[in-house]
Amino acid sequence: MEGILTDCVQNSLRYFMYRNAIFLCERLCAEFPSEVNLQLLATCYLQNNQAYAAYNILKGTQMALSRYLFAVACYQMDLLSEAEAALSPVNEPSVEIPNGAAGHYLMGLIYRYTDRRKNAIHHYKMALSIDPLLWAAYEELCMLGAAEEATAVFSEAAALCIQKQYLQNGLATQNLYLPNEDRNLVSSKSAGTEDISPRQLKHMQANNLRDIPGNYHGAVVSAAAASQPLNGGPSNASFYNTPSPITTQLSGVAPPPLCRNLQPNGPNLNMLGTDSSPKSTISSTIQAPRRKFVDEGKLRKISGRLFSDSGPRRSTRLAGEAGANANMSTTTVAGNGTTNSSKYLGGSKLSSVALRSVTLRKGQSWANENIDEGMRNEPFDDSRANTASTVSSSFPTSDTRSAVQEGTTVPIGGTAMNGSRIMTGASDLLGLLRILGEGYRMSCMYRCKDALDVYLKLPHKHYNTGWVLSQVGKAYFEVVDYLEAERAFTLARRASPYSLEGMDIYSTVLYHLKEDMKLSYLAQELITTDRLAPQSWCAMGNCYSLQKDHETALKNFQRAVQLNPRFAYGHTLCGHEYVALEDFENGIRSYQSALRVDARHYNSWYGLGMVYLRQEKFEFSEHHFRMAFQISPHSSVIMSYLGTAMHALKRSGEAIEMMEKAILADKKNPLPMYQKANILLSLEKFDEALEVLEELKEYAPRESGVYALMGKIYKRRNMHEKAMLHFGLALDLKPSATDVATIKAAIEKLHVPDEIEDNL
C-alpha cells in the first residue's frame, strides 16, 4: 500500500495535479508516518506554492533533505535567519550543508540578501566546484562582480570532474536499466540508496537552481529523497518500501543535454512547479533580471533648467532621449550610415545576425556547418576535441581508468556512453558555457561592446534564443543604442514570446524612443501573459510615465515591487516617479531600497546623486556619483554629473578632466560637452567655451540650451547683437516653459552689466 500511494503521489506531481498529490500524500503520512514521507508531503505543498505548509510540516526535522526543504520554505517566506540555521546549525558548525551544490547555492542566496557578500561568494564558488554545470551560481557571481573568467570556471578540469563523476557512479546505475521483471529484485537488494549517483541527484535537483528558491521543483527533490545519502553518508532507509516507485519516477526524467542520467521518457520533472505566484514573496526573485541600466544621451542642464524638459530626468534613463533624437534628426541610425527606412529591416548592426538561421556571421560560410549532425565547427570546438583526445584516457582513479580501458560503458540518458564520449560531450557543453559565461560577465562589468563581440561567437541556434537576444538588447541599451536594442528585443520576443526576460528594459527602450503605441501594445501583451510578473507592471508604468501621468505610473511600479520585493529595478523606477513628483524624501527611500537588494545597482546611486545635486548637497552628490562611477566606469553620463558635482565643490580642474573623459567615452553624447562649456564659462575662458559649443551644435543642432548658453557668453563679452541672435534662436526651438521664462529674463537684462545683474 505504501508503494502504491507513493507512486500515485509521484504521478500526480509529474502531471501537475497538486491537490490530488497533497490528498494522497496525507493518506500516506497517516498510514505510514515517517520523516521521509513528510518530505514528500512538504514537496507537494512547495510545488503548490504553499511554503507555509511545508514550513510547519518540516519544522524540527533533522534529516539532511528535510533541512534543505525546510530552508527552501523559509527562503520563500523570507525567514532568512531560520533558513540559514536549517542549512548550517549554529550549535553544530561541523555539519555539512545538505544537498551538495544545491545547498551551497541556497546558502549563497541567503548570505547575499543578508548583506554578507564575501560569504555569499564563497558558497557560490563551492556550489560551482561541486557542480561545474550550475550556471545559476556563476550568474550570481557575475552580478556580485566577483566572477572569475569563464575560461577558468568552465575549463577542461571541469570536464574531467564531470567525466569522473559519471564514470564512478555510472556503473552503479546500470541495474536501473535491467528488464522490468528483474528490477524489483535488484532494487530490493540495493535499498534504493545506491542506485542513483550523487551526480545524478545534483542534476535532478539543482540543474535549474536559479529558479528553485522562488519556485521549488519538488518532484526532483522527491527523487532525491528516494536515494540521496544523508549528510554525505549512507542512508539507512529507502524512500520507498517497494522499488517500483523509483523505477516509475526515474523513467520520466528528461534532464538537460549533457546530464541526462535517466530514461528520457515523459515530461521533465525539472519543469514541475515553474508557475509564479504572489503567495511567495520571492516567487520571481531569481527569475527577474537584476541588471542595472543607465541610459545616456539626452542633453540636459543642471542649473537654470535650460537643458531640461518640463520634468526631471529619470535616473535609469540618464538623459537618454537626446541620443535617439539626434540620430533621428540626422536620419542615421547609431552612426552606422543606415537611414531610418531600415528601422525594421536589415542594414543595421543587427541585420547581419537578426535572422541568424539564414544569415551567417562575418567570416563564416555554410561550409563550416554540419547541418545533418547538428554540429558546428566553432573556433573552440577544435581545441576541445584535441583536449578530449588527450585527457580521455587519464582518470583520477584506477577503477575508472580500468573501466574505460576495458571499454566499459555506462548508461546516460538511455544511451550507452564510454569515457571518451562523456569527455567529448562535457567539453562541448563547457565550451558553450564559456562563451555564454564570458559574455554575461562582460555585461555585468558594463563592458558592453566586449560582451556583444563575445555573444557573436555563439552558434546560430543558441544566438537565436530569447535569453541571448535579450542580453544583446540590454547591452545595446547600455551603450545608448536604442534602435539596435529595440531590434534585439523584437527578435527576442519573436524567438520566445512567452519569456519575460528583459522585457522591463525593452519597455524603457520604447519609452526613450517615444514609441507610445508599441509600448502600450507590449504592456498589454505582458499583462495578458503574466499578471503576476513585475516586468509586466514595469511596462505598464512606463506607458503612463511617457504620458506624464506620474501618479498612475508610480502605482504600477509599486505593484511590481509588491509582487517581488527583491526586484531592484522596480524600486529604482519608483524613485524616479517620486522625484518627478518632487517627493524627494520617498524618492531617496526607494533608491535605498533598491541598493539594499543589490548594492551594484548603480543607477540607484546615480538617482541619489541627482536628488542631492538638486538639493545642493554637493558633497553627498559627489559621493553617490562616484559610487556609481566605480561600478560603471564606462558611463559617459555618470562621468558628466560627477564632473558637475566636482565643479559645484570648486574643483574645476578635476571637473574639466572628468568631462574630457566623458566626451571620449561617448562622442555622441552632447551632455559632457555642454557641461564643459559651462565650466569654462565660469572660469571666464570665453573663447574655449564658444569653441566647444560650436562643435556641440554639430551633434545637437536643435537643442535650445546650446544657443541660450552661447547667447549668455556673447552677453558677457558685450557682443549684444550676437547675444540677441542666439537668444532668439533658442526661443525658436520651442524650449520648455521654464526655459522660455529664463531666456526672456536674460533678454530683458541684455544691456545690464554683469556686475549689476549679480547684485539684483
Side-chain angles (χ1 to χ4, degrees):
M1 178 177 176
E2 183 176 9
I4 293 174
L5 277 173
T6 302
D7 190 42
C8 289
V9 171
Q10 293 291 345
N11 282 330
S12 296
L13 291 176
R14 185 176 295 113
Y15 297 111
F16 312 103
M17 298 184 294
Y18 300 133
R19 288 182 59 192
N20 192 61
I22 291 170
F23 175 81
L24 292 175
C25 201
E26 285 181 344
R27 305 311 109 216
L28 174 66
C29 292
E31 186 71 26
F32 304 99
S34 69
E35 187 171 326
V36 172
N37 287 337
L38 287 178
Q39 293 171 359
L40 183 57
L41 180 58
T43 296
C44 295
Y45 278 115
L46 283 170
Q47 288 206 31
N48 201 39
N49 294 305
Q50 293 176 271
Y52 53 87
Y55 172 87
N56 286 283
I57 289 169
L58 295 174
K59 191 168 186 177
T61 53
Q62 297 299 321
M63 294 174 66
L65 186 57
S66 299
R67 289 164 43 216
Y68 177 78
L69 292 172
F70 180 73
V72 170
C74 291
Y75 183 91
Q76 292 189 13
M77 297 171 67
D78 208 25
L79 302 174
L80 299 185
S81 59
E82 289 191 57
E84 180 184 353
L87 292 175
S88 180
V90 178
N91 55 350
E92 300 179 41
S94 61
V95 172
E96 183 179 350
I97 291 179
N99 251 32
H104 282 286
Y105 174 71
L106 179 55
M107 197 68 165
L109 291 175
I110 293 167
Y111 280 129
R112 178 185 176 183
Y113 291 119
T114 52
D115 201 22
R116 288 175 284 180
R117 182 176 179 273
K118 289 184 179 179
N119 290 339
I121 291 170
H122 168 73
H123 283 281
Y124 289 142
K125 289 183 176 179
M126 285 292 296
L128 273 175
S129 68
I130 296 171
D131 184 357
L133 299 180
L134 186 47
W135 166 262
Y138 186 75
E139 205 170 25
E140 290 289 334
L141 287 171
C142 289
M143 287 187 282
L144 288 173
E148 299 177 20
E149 289 187 9
T151 52
V153 176
F154 305 109
S155 62
E156 293 301 330
L160 283 171
C161 176
I162 295 169
Q163 181 195 47
K164 174 184 175 182
Q165 290 172 341
Y166 271 106
L167 290 174
Q168 285 182 337
N169 299 290
L171 295 178
T173 66
Q174 288 185 1
N175 53 13
L176 290 176
Y177 300 93
L178 292 176
N180 289 335
E181 59 270 18
D182 297 333
R183 281 195 181 132
N184 290 345
L185 178 62
V186 174
S187 299
S188 62
K189 290 179 180 179
S190 65
T193 60
E194 299 171 355
D195 292 343
I196 306 175
S197 68
R199 181 63 182 176
Q200 289 171 316
L201 292 174
K202 273 183 239 155
H203 288 286
M204 291 166 61
Q205 296 169 3
N207 214 20
N208 287 328
L209 273 179
R210 183 169 177 78
D211 299 324
I212 282 180
N215 216 343
Y216 188 68
H217 302 264
V220 180
V221 175
S222 300
S227 54
Q228 182 177 351
L230 304 176
N231 291 323
S235 174
N236 295 324
S238 171
F239 188 77
Y240 313 110
N241 286 351
T242 61
S244 58
I246 299 180
T247 304
T248 303
Q249 179 184 358
L250 296 181
S251 65
V253 178
L258 173 66
C259 305
R260 291 176 295 178
N261 303 322
L262 309 168
Q263 295 286 357
N265 301 323
N268 187 351
L269 290 183
N270 284 341
M271 296 305 294
L272 293 178
T274 56
D275 55 319
S276 299
S277 172
K279 295 177 183 177
S280 167
T281 58
I282 47 85
S283 61
S284 55
T285 298
I286 307 305
Q287 299 169 2
R290 297 192 189 94
R291 284 295 312 279
K292 286 72 63 180
F293 294 95
V294 177
D295 311 44
E296 308 174 7
K298 183 169 184 179
L299 188 59
R300 304 284 184 139
K301 176 169 170 49
I302 294 299
S303 58
R305 298 176 58 83
L306 291 176
F307 245 52
S308 63
D309 56 19
S310 58
R313 182 177 30 164
R314 306 169 68 84
S315 66
T316 285
R317 295 156 184 158
L318 288 197
E321 292 93 338
N325 293 341
N327 288 340
M328 301 290 282
S329 65
T330 56
T331 69
T332 62
V333 177
N336 62 2
T338 304
T339 64
N340 288 330
S341 62
S342 66
K343 184 171 185 179
Y344 302 107
L345 301 173
S348 68
K349 300 171 191 171
L350 277 179
S351 63
S352 63
V353 294
L355 298 174
R356 297 175 66 90
S357 59
V358 177
T359 306
L360 291 177
R361 298 190 308 276
K362 182 178 180 181
Q364 283 193 321
S365 66
W366 287 109
N368 289 339
E369 308 204 16
N370 186 339
I371 298 176
D372 295 335
E373 296 294 329
M375 300 286 290
R376 252 177 206 86
N377 296 327
E378 296 295 327
F380 57 83
D381 290 342
D382 295 335
S383 62
R384 287 201 306 273
N386 294 337
T387 307
S389 63
T390 60
V391 300
S392 61
S393 60
S394 59
F395 303 100
T397 64
S398 59
D399 294 338
T400 55
R401 184 184 303 112
S402 61
V404 175
Q405 288 174 351
E406 294 172 7
T408 303
T409 60
V410 294
I412 299 176
T415 303
M417 298 180 68
N418 59 23
S420 177
R421 289 188 64 187
I422 294 173
M423 187 66 187
T424 301
S427 296
D428 289 343
L429 178 55
L430 290 170
L432 177 63
L433 293 181
R434 278 196 289 272
I435 299 177
L436 292 168
E438 192 62 15
Y440 191 76
R441 187 178 74 91
M442 292 293 181
S443 292
C444 290
M445 294 172 64
Y446 303 103
R447 294 168 54 183
C448 296
K449 293 180 180 178
D450 293 335
L452 291 169
D453 292 338
V454 172
Y455 286 132
L456 285 174
K457 297 178 183 178
L458 284 168
H460 303 305
K461 54 190 174 185
H462 288 285
Y463 189 96
N464 278 330
T465 57
W467 187 87
V468 174
L469 289 169
S470 292
Q471 297 302 319
V472 170
K474 292 177 184 179
Y476 277 121
F477 178 71
E478 190 69 39
V479 296
V480 204
D481 197 341
Y482 298 129
L483 294 173
E484 294 299 329
E486 184 195 8
R487 288 188 182 91
F489 280 121
T490 300
L491 291 171
R493 289 286 293 168
R494 188 182 306 168
S496 302
Y498 49 83
S499 175
L500 301 182
E501 174 71 31
M503 292 300 103
D504 49 338
I505 306 304
Y506 183 24
S507 68
T508 304
V509 170
L510 296 176
Y511 172 94
H512 287 306
L513 293 175
K514 300 187 184 301
E515 296 278 5
D516 52 349
M517 293 295 291
K518 288 185 180 180
L519 180 54
S520 177
Y521 182 71
L522 174 67
Q524 291 295 334
E525 275 195 322
L526 296 181
I527 289 291
T528 303
T529 301
D530 189 355
R531 293 182 60 85
L532 303 179
Q535 295 92 334
S536 303
W537 293 99
C538 281
M540 191 65 74
N542 276 331
C543 279
Y544 287 106
S545 185
L546 185 58
Q547 303 300 324
K548 306 299 181 184
D549 186 353
H550 298 296
E551 292 183 356
T552 307
L554 177 59
K555 291 178 181 178
N556 283 276
F557 294 138
Q558 287 173 334
R559 174 61 173 158
V561 171
Q562 182 186 32
L563 289 168
N564 185 359
R566 296 196 179 113
F567 186 41
Y569 191 49
H571 288 289
T572 300
L573 291 175
C574 286
H576 301 335
E577 297 306 316
Y578 278 123
V579 171
L581 295 169
E582 300 198 356
D583 186 351
F584 298 128
E585 184 177 351
N586 281 319
I588 289 173
R589 287 200 187 101
S590 293
Y591 292 136
Q592 290 173 342
S593 296
L595 293 174
R596 277 193 292 270
V597 174
D598 186 356
R600 296 188 77 245
H601 191 73
Y602 73 87
N603 45 348
S604 287
W605 289 107
Y606 166 85
L608 288 168
M610 287 298 294
V611 170
Y612 291 128
L613 191 63
R614 291 183 63 177
Q615 294 178 338
E616 298 187 357
K617 299 178 180 179
F618 299 123
E619 291 184 356
F620 286 177
S621 177
E622 193 234 353
H623 167 74
H624 288 86
F625 283 135
R626 191 169 294 280
M627 290 296 295
F629 176 66
Q630 289 174 359
I631 297 168
S632 178
H634 306 288
S635 171
S636 175
V637 167
I638 290 179
M639 294 182 203
S640 300
Y641 284 107
L642 177 57
T644 300
M646 290 176 175
H647 175 57
L649 292 170
K650 310 301 183 184
R651 291 154 53 188
S652 299
E654 295 178 57
I656 289 179
E657 289 180 8
M658 186 59 65
M659 294 301 174
E660 290 173 350
K661 289 181 181 179
I663 293 169
L664 291 175
D666 184 3
K667 294 184 178 180
K668 293 184 295 182
N669 180 16
L671 179 62
M673 298 180 69
Y674 180 82
Q675 300 291 10
K676 180 181 178 181
N678 254 326
I679 296 172
L680 291 171
L681 172 60
S682 68
L683 297 175
E684 298 187 353
K685 297 181 179 180
F686 302 128
D687 292 335
E688 294 181 38
L690 285 172
E691 183 179 344
V692 171
L693 291 172
E694 287 291 344
E695 184 180 356
L696 180 56
K697 284 199 302 185
E698 301 297 324
Y699 292 99
R702 299 189 60 80
E703 282 292 346
S704 63
V706 175
Y707 298 95
L709 185 58
M710 293 180 75
K712 187 176 180 181
I713 294 174
Y714 284 124
K715 177 181 179 296
R716 295 281 297 272
R717 298 184 65 179
N718 294 320
M719 301 171 67
H720 297 143
E721 290 184 1
K722 285 192 174 183
M724 188 63 192
L725 171 64
H726 285 83
F727 283 139
L729 290 172
L731 288 174
D732 290 341
L733 292 173
K734 298 180 180 179
S736 65
T738 305
D739 293 345
V740 167
T742 304
I743 295 171
K744 287 184 176 180
I747 292 174
E748 291 174 0
K749 299 177 182 178
L750 185 61
H751 297 284
V752 178
D754 293 331
E755 296 80 6
I756 299 176
E757 182 181 346
D758 293 337
N759 294 328
L760 292 177

